[in-house]
Amino acid sequence: MDLADIGVTGLAVMGRNLARNLARNGYAVAVHNRTASRTDDLVNEFGGEGTFIPAHEVAAFVASLKRPRRAIIMVKAGAGTDAVIEELAEHMEPGDMIVDGGNAHFADTRRREAALRERGIHFVGTGISGGEEGALNGPSIMPGGSVESWEALGPILQDISAKVDGVPCAVHVGPDGAGHFVKMVHNGIEYSDMQLIAESYDLLRQALGATPAELAEVFREWNKGELESYLIEITAQVLDQVDEATGKPFVDVVVDQAEQKGTGRWTVQSALDLGVPVTGIAEAVFARALSGHPEQRAAARSLEGPSLSGVGGRELIEDVRQALLASKIVAYAQGFDQIAAASKEYGWDVDPGAMATIWRGGCIIRARFLNRIRAAYDADPDLATLLAAPEFASVVNAAQDAWRRVVTTAVRIGVPTPGFSSALAYYDGLRRDRLPAALVQGLRDYFGAHTYHRVDREGAFHTDWSGDRKERATGS
Ligand code: 6PG
């Protein structure tokens, strides 16, 4: 019997499309699904696209793979993943590879990788971005795991990934959970991008009285310049959409409560642990949370806002474009900081320039702007913050007046722009010579003797606030 180069188990739309992508690229693909009819449907419908080797049982699926075996799991992330891993591992032997292509939490991936390593099996937690379309035609792929597993899987993953200027959007991110961590931050940035786009739309609609269709045109224009990206492109399409049943703009018939599967929340939870301010992502997660409390929103409807309208002229459009760009740079700078912090914490040695490179195509946050991030890290791999890289410093410096006008306008007319506002506050915080954190330290020392450091001398100090108010050195 001919053996398969690689296998896919879990044939919902993402798994099915990934299997088809592999087959179309000339790989013989073993396919398996818990409900066997899905496996048969795939082969019946798409069998002509390449070589599929269907299996109805896990044992047969594993047996149909060439050694060392390579099996990709495409099931909904969660407890079920452990069961699928165990079933596969039972039939595998040392040197084989299990790839988890779902959105698993990186801590789960670390745990699973360590457990399988004990048994000699490589576990490769892999971020895959690009939705259904990407899985079929070329996603961005972020695998973690061992170097050996990358050697065996890398060429296949690069073949099926998106390409930008001939460069594949797949690279070995780092050991154990590094791939899923980077995918998680990708999703956090995705949340932030979408929140900033939503604020741009809301502010322009309220301030200018523009229709969704008119705003679709604005986004189409923006997509021709430095904001060019998949999310801006599809924003124009969603805003252009008219509801067939009512003839109203589509955005006006959709319930205004944003849902989430959790990767944005995980990003913020991890950032809190790592001590990295990812305010742009956090505001996006909390804005979704606020939208999801209709009872509170109904109760708050009696609260008053300013009675202003028509406050902006057409120049507001260009101001919002610049605020969007500057706030987006902040969100990316924060996301890359988080990746750097985790890389240090877990010893992953993630190359930030390589991440920018594989996010240029295939994934949801793909954007022209990622070329600049790559260039910034090429020029200085140890950048303290992307914001200070010459390419970005010049953009945010040029945008800051417009950014302030946008936030001011939003505040004046009562349109919430937590993404723009917090990004601007971060920018202002970062560039300050002196922060009021000095006063916070003073207060901490006053009530809790928590000590402080001085600007002019080494060591830690405490002032005897309730006694003689004299300062004493307390050690280092
Ligand atoms: C991707 C997407 C994908 C998914 C998000 C949606 O990169 O292809 O990010 O992973 O669409 O998980 O997340 P929410 O449901 O949390 O918005």
Side-chain angles (χ1 to χ4, degrees):
M1 180 179 110
D2 283 343
L3 293 177
D5 299 301
I6 192 160
V8 178
T9 179
L11 300 175
V13 67
M14 286 292 288
R16 188 184 62 189
N17 284 358
L18 202 73
R20 291 175 59 199
N21 185 352
L22 286 158
R24 288 170 170 195
N25 274 281
Y27 295 103
V29 193
V31 283
H32 169 265
N33 192 71
R34 191 170 296 280
T35 313
S37 58
R38 253 201 190 150
T39 311
D40 299 337
D41 290 348
L42 165 59
V43 178
N44 291 338
E45 243 179 287
F46 304 107
E49 293 184 352
T51 308
F52 293 100
I53 302 178
H56 287 178
E57 303 299 332
V58 174
F61 170 70
V62 175
S64 69
L65 296 168
K66 273 181 201 158
R67 288 189 170 85
R69 304 179 180 94
R70 294 171 282 216
I72 307 180
I73 302 176
M74 294 298 288
V75 299
K76 196 167 166 286
T81 309
D82 282 308
V84 178
I85 292 170
E86 191 45 47
E87 268 187 292
L88 286 173
E90 271 169 27
H91 300 285
M92 287 188 158
E93 51 195 36
D96 289 348
M97 283 152 259
I98 298 178
V99 180
D100 176 11
N103 272 333
H105 192 287
F106 76 97
D108 286 332
T109 302
R110 281 167 64 76
R111 169 177 60 76
R112 290 166 179 154
E113 195 274 340
L116 287 167
R117 197 172 348 117
E118 298 265 297
R119 297 157 73 174
I121 296 173
H122 299 278
F123 183 69
V124 184
T126 301
I128 301 181
S129 178
E132 298 169 17
E133 223 263 347
L136 182 62
N137 297 318
S140 173
I141 310 181
M142 298 152 244
S146 64
V147 171
E148 297 94 296
S149 60
W150 170 248
E151 278 162 6
L153 284 159
I156 304 180
L157 299 180
Q158 292 191 326
D159 272 353
I160 64 163
S161 74
K163 316 280 180 305
V164 175
D165 305 330
V167 179
C169 295
V171 80
H172 184 220
V173 176
D176 58 80
H180 273 146
F181 188 92
V182 163
K183 174 60 173 39
M184 176 189 79
V185 175
H186 163 284
N187 280 24
I189 292 174
E190 171 187 305
Y191 277 48
S192 173
D193 264 356
M194 289 196 283
Q195 173 64 22
L196 294 169
I197 286 172
E199 290 178 17
S200 303
Y201 146 78
D202 193 19
L203 183 59
L204 289 174
R205 190 165 182 189
Q206 301 310 319
L208 305 181
T211 64
E214 285 163 350
L215 292 172
E217 193 48 41
V218 168
F219 279 94
R220 249 191 305 278
E221 269 311 302
W222 287 356
N223 202 39
K224 293 179 187 156
E226 52 197 342
L227 278 172
E228 182 192 324
S229 61
Y230 172 68
L231 286 170
I232 297 278
E233 178 195 327
I234 65 171
T235 299
Q237 296 190 30
V238 174
L239 288 176
D240 249 344
Q241 181 78 3
V242 173
D243 175 49
E244 230 182 305
T246 59
K248 290 183 181 167
F250 167 83
V251 279
D252 290 344
V253 300
V254 175
V255 173
D256 59 346
Q257 295 174 33
E259 297 174 14
Q260 59 169 308
K261 289 193 215 73
T263 43
R265 185 177 67 241
W266 293 348
T267 312
V268 179
Q269 285 169 335
S270 143
L272 290 172
D273 290 339
L274 292 165
V276 181
V278 292
T279 51
I281 299 170
E283 290 297 353
V285 173
F286 287 133
R288 289 195 193 188
L290 185 151
S291 80
H293 282 286
E295 69 304 336
Q296 285 189 323
R297 293 172 58 193
R301 210 131 296 153
S302 58
L303 301 177
E304 285 173 15
S307 49
L308 285 169
S309 60
V311 291
R314 301 287 297 175
E315 65 282 359
L316 185 63
I317 296 176
E318 173 55 17
D319 280 356
V320 170
R321 188 191 70 80
Q322 293 198 38
L324 176 55
L325 182 61
S327 304
K328 187 176 157 108
I329 293 171
V330 165
Y332 279 70
Q334 295 178 338
F336 275 89
D337 284 351
Q338 185 173 357
I339 290 173
S343 178
K344 194 160 165 236
E345 172 81 13
Y346 301 111
W348 287 335
D349 203 18
V350 178
D351 172 358
M355 299 308 105
T357 304
I358 62 168
W359 286 352
R360 292 182 310 158
C363 64
I364 304 296
I365 65 170
R366 61 186 181 262
R368 183 201 286 199
F369 150 105
L370 281 150
N371 275 317
R372 284 194 190 174
I373 298 186
R374 185 177 69 151
Y377 281 113
D378 278 353
D380 179 2
D382 300 317
L383 259 183
T385 166
L386 259 186
L387 277 176
E391 296 90 328
F392 292 112
S394 59
V395 177
V396 283
N397 284 337
Q400 59 119 4
D401 283 337
W403 203 357
R404 292 180 200 287
R405 282 193 297 270
V406 165
V407 172
T408 310
T409 302
V411 170
R412 280 179 54 222
I413 66 172
V415 171
T417 52
F420 288 152
S421 311
S422 81
L424 182 56
Y426 178 82
Y427 169 84
D428 281 333
L430 213 53
R431 66 181 190 81
R432 278 298 285 280
D433 258 1
R434 295 270 304 151
L435 287 168
L439 176 56
V440 172
Q441 283 296 79
L443 297 172
R444 291 178 68 246
D445 189 58
Y446 190 109
F447 63 68
H450 293 299
T451 76
Y452 51 87
H453 293 95
R454 295 182 53 98
V455 295
D456 52 359
R457 263 178 284 150
E458 288 294 308
F461 297 89
H462 168 62
T463 290
D464 183 5
W465 295 100
S466 53
D468 61 7
R469 300 223 162 179
K470 293 237 183 319
E471 180 177 82
R472 285 166 194 86
T474 63
S476 56

